[in-house]
Amino acid sequence: MVMHPTPYLEHYADIYAANMLYKHGVKLDAYLADPARYEHLLGAPFPLTHKQTTVRVRLIREEVLQEQAEEIAQQLDDLPRNNVRPFEPLHHKRHPKRRGLASCRNRSLQPTKPQTT
């Protein structure tokens, strides 16, 4: 264990306490061993707590969902509307009517017998 002089301890302990470096997860012993290593944390914002992180994730998800909803709404604006609801028109070909023997299913399934006259 390293022994530090009292003025050194008081000076750096005051800096440690004033900047609340414990919120960054730094122990006082580690800070006293090498204060220059943690200088970048003196003006840095504190990390988020667990509850704050949970709220931030929820807000980001809501923002992403909102953006997706806006994109879907823009896509639906191009579609024609039936009263209020947008619908996508069907693009299919209508089958032509069958005429003649092919139109009667039962007749086409029966074997044909030769006619005798």
Side-chain angles (χ1 to χ4, degrees), residues 107-113:
R107 186 180 263 181
S108 63
L109 294 177
Q110 294 175 354
T112 58
K113 296 180 185 177

Side-chain angles (χ1 to χ4, degrees), residues 40-75:
H40 67 281
L41 295 176
L42 295 181
F46 301 128
L48 299 176
T49 63
H50 178 69
K51 288 183 178 180
Q52 290 172 328
T53 304
T54 305
V55 170
R56 181 179 173 129
V57 167
R58 183 176 48 87
L59 291 174
I60 289 172
R61 285 183 183 158
E62 288 176 1
E63 181 178 318
V64 168
L65 290 175
Q66 182 65 29
E67 290 173 1
Q68 289 176 350
E70 290 173 2
E71 289 176 12
I72 291 172
Q74 289 175 354
Q75 292 173 357

Side-chain angles (χ1 to χ4, degrees), residues 8 11 16 18 32 35 42 61 68 77 91 109:
Y8 178 88
H11 174 71
Y16 178 84
L32 291 175
L42 295 181
R61 285 183 183 158
Q68 289 176 350
D77 285 342
H91 302 286
L109 294 177

Side-chain angles (χ1 to χ4, degrees), residues 23-38:
K23 288 190 173 185
H24 291 285
V26 179
K27 302 281 184 183
L28 179 60
D29 296 338
Y31 180 71
L32 291 175
D34 190 12
R37 180 178 176 190
Y38 301 104

Side-chain angles (χ1 to χ4, degrees), residues 90-109:
L90 299 176
H91 302 286
H92 61 81
K93 304 282 184 182
R94 186 173 176 196
H95 296 292
K97 292 183 180 178
R98 296 183 183 182
R99 297 211 174 8
L101 292 176
S103 66
C104 183
R105 263 192 281 152
N106 296 335
R107 186 180 263 181
S108 63
L109 294 177

